[in-house]
Amino acid sequence: NKDGSGEVTWEEFKSNITDDSVQALLALLELNDSDLWVLFHLLDDKQAATLDAQKFISGCMRLKGPARSIDLAQVSRNQTKLAERLSHFMRF
């Protein structure tokens, strides 16, 4: 990243999409450019709007497999968030 923090914002992440190494990683993971927004937000589990390199690499390795694994990961995350909201609601 540009500020030396070791974390990447969405804007920094997006600006590197055309890099050959990023494209190679996407091909390896069977993802396309349109999946990157979902990927970034899946890996940003604390909703900090940033990712560090370790989180990015480990997250990508978990998604390695069939091309639509990212869809399943997104559904799982959405379901977890919904369950948390429902649990909070049920307390009242």
Side-chain angles (χ1 to χ4, degrees):
N1 68 341
K2 295 177 183 175
D3 66 3
S5 69
E7 296 186 339
V8 177
T9 66
W10 168 247
E11 291 302 318
E12 291 170 326
F13 188 81
K14 185 172 67 171
S15 71
N16 290 300
I17 290 173
T18 59
D19 184 270
D20 289 343
S21 60
V22 173
Q23 288 298 312
L25 176 62
L26 291 175
L28 176 70
L29 297 174
E30 299 178 352
L31 298 172
N32 58 50
D33 294 354
S34 65
D35 293 323
L36 290 180
W37 176 253
V38 174
L39 175 62
F40 186 89
H41 282 80
L42 281 171
L43 300 180
D44 181 22
D45 57 348
K46 294 185 179 171
Q47 299 178 341
T50 60
L51 296 177
D52 63 39
Q54 182 60 38
K55 184 178 283 189
F56 178 73
I57 292 168
S58 65
C60 286
M61 296 314 295
R62 285 193 320 255
L63 291 174
K64 190 173 183 319
R68 299 300 10 153
S69 291
I70 194 165
D71 294 329
L72 296 175
Q74 182 180 26
V75 167
S76 176
R77 181 169 183 229
N78 289 344
Q79 186 273 334
T80 299
K81 282 182 160 187
L82 184 59
E84 289 170 0
R85 289 179 185 157
L86 182 59
S87 176
H88 179 73
F89 176 75
M90 296 298 284
R91 290 182 195 157
F92 291 104

